[in-house]
Amino acid sequence: MGASLNEIKQRIASTKKTSQITNAMQMVSAAKLTKSEAHSKQFQIYASKVREVVTHLTAQQLNDIYSAGPQDGVNYNSMLISRPVKKTGYIVITSDGGLVGGYNSSILKQMMSMLKEDHQSADEYVMIAIGATGADFFKARGINLAYELRNLSDQPGFEEVRKIVTMATTMYQNEVFDELYVCYNHHINSLTSQFRVEKMLPIVDLDPEEAESYEQEYLFEPSKEEILDHLLPQYAESLIYGAIVDAKTAEHAAGMTAMKTATDNAKNIIADLTISYNRARQGAITQEITEIVAGASALD
């Protein structure tokens, strides 16, 4: 019985240490989540302004494309025009490590289901992985990666991901693939995220009527066409970067939730072990009293 009591005490002590670690990790993830949410809100202000300018610049071109299709002799930016899809590009965003609950598994499971449903062979798509978990997952299954980015910081700046987002837009312009999707977990709140697949290229979500809702007028120097040639890739890059920021926010929320669950489970285990310890200790005391009484009776 003594060995059993010591064993229970050791398990309680070990579980308490684990709960302290998971509780600390929960607080760290909560702090990261707060920063990431603030970063995301700040970025949305920039993204909204870029969208406004791009919509102004493309309003007439979009009207032409939507009404009668691209017109001969007019120089339309390739990022605005859908072309026959021979190959699809996917940017898949996962975390670099674990301890984030089902965050990665939900992304990769739905990603594989989508590839199976939408494609007949691996020749029909190009994969770009952001995060070590996704990169290792695809490599283990023999899926070729055009590019991978690992060890992304908790609050990634645009310079940190510039290479991959610039490369993605360049690959589209060079017709390495004919459409580009970003696949990731979208942050809804601290408890909920949702798998999202967003079409980034060609840029098809601009509404020419949206330009009329903006009160701001612009003077352009040099021409609209020249500005658009530089601004459209930046806009596409901002869309991809926005998805990365959103995914990082969802990752921190998942980490916080996973560590809270682990801490709560540890507390429940400690409570159960404490009850077991008290029962075992009570049994040992009762047995000792019984032995003492029995010994005293034998002496009489």
Side-chain angles (χ1 to χ4, degrees), residues 268-296:
N268 291 335
I269 291 173
I270 291 170
D272 292 340
L273 288 173
T274 301
I275 292 173
S276 298
Y277 176 80
N278 290 336
R279 286 176 177 172
R281 188 167 178 272
Q282 184 179 13
I285 293 172
T286 301
Q287 183 177 348
E288 289 177 4
I289 293 174
T290 302
E291 290 174 354
I292 292 172
V293 171

Side-chain angles (χ1 to χ4, degrees), residues 49 60 66 83 139 152 174 176 178 195 204 261 266 280 290 297:
K49 196 63 179 179
Q60 185 57 50
Y66 292 166
R83 57 183 183 242
K139 284 183 176 180
L152 204 61
N174 293 337
V176 174
D178 304 296
F195 180 68
V204 295
T261 300
T290 302
S297 298

Side-chain angles (χ1 to χ4, degrees), residues 74-147:
V74 180
N75 182 25
Y76 295 101
N77 194 288
S78 62
M79 290 188 171
L80 298 173
I81 302 175
S82 298
R83 57 183 183 242
V85 178
K86 299 176 183 177
K87 186 168 289 189
T88 301
Y90 294 101
I91 298 178
V92 184
I93 307 173
T94 60
S95 72
D96 283 300
L99 303 179
V100 288
Y103 174 82
N104 291 313
S105 60
S106 65
I107 296 172
L108 297 173
K109 180 180 179 180
Q110 294 183 78
M111 190 68 214
M112 293 304 293
S113 296
M114 187 174 68
L115 292 177
K116 185 177 181 180
E117 292 176 3
D118 296 346
H119 301 284
Q120 299 298 319
S121 71
D123 296 331
E124 296 180 358
Y125 54 85
V126 175
M127 302 296 291
I128 298 172
I130 298 179
T133 302
D136 293 340
F137 176 88
F138 293 127
K139 284 183 176 180
R141 285 154 182 77
I143 298 175
N144 291 325
L145 296 178
Y147 191 82

Side-chain angles (χ1 to χ4, degrees), residues 140-183:
R141 285 154 182 77
I143 298 175
N144 291 325
L145 296 178
Y147 191 82
E148 62 181 86
L149 177 64
R150 297 171 181 255
N151 301 320
L152 204 61
S153 65
D154 293 324
Q155 312 297 332
F158 185 77
E159 288 300 323
E160 190 176 355
V161 298
R162 177 184 289 277
K163 184 176 181 180
I164 195 168
V165 297
T166 301
M167 183 198 66
T169 55
T170 301
M171 289 175 71
Y172 174 80
Q173 290 175 313
N174 293 337
E175 300 188 12
V176 174
F177 45 77
D178 304 296
E179 58 182 359
L180 175 66
Y181 292 88
V182 176
C183 310

Side-chain angles (χ1 to χ4, degrees), residues 15 21 54 67 71-72 98 133-134 156 185 218 223 257 259 266 277 280 293:
T15 306
I21 294 172
V54 170
S67 61
Q71 305 296 309
D72 293 337
T133 302
N185 266 357
Y218 298 92
S223 66
T257 301
M259 291 303 99
Y277 176 80
V293 171

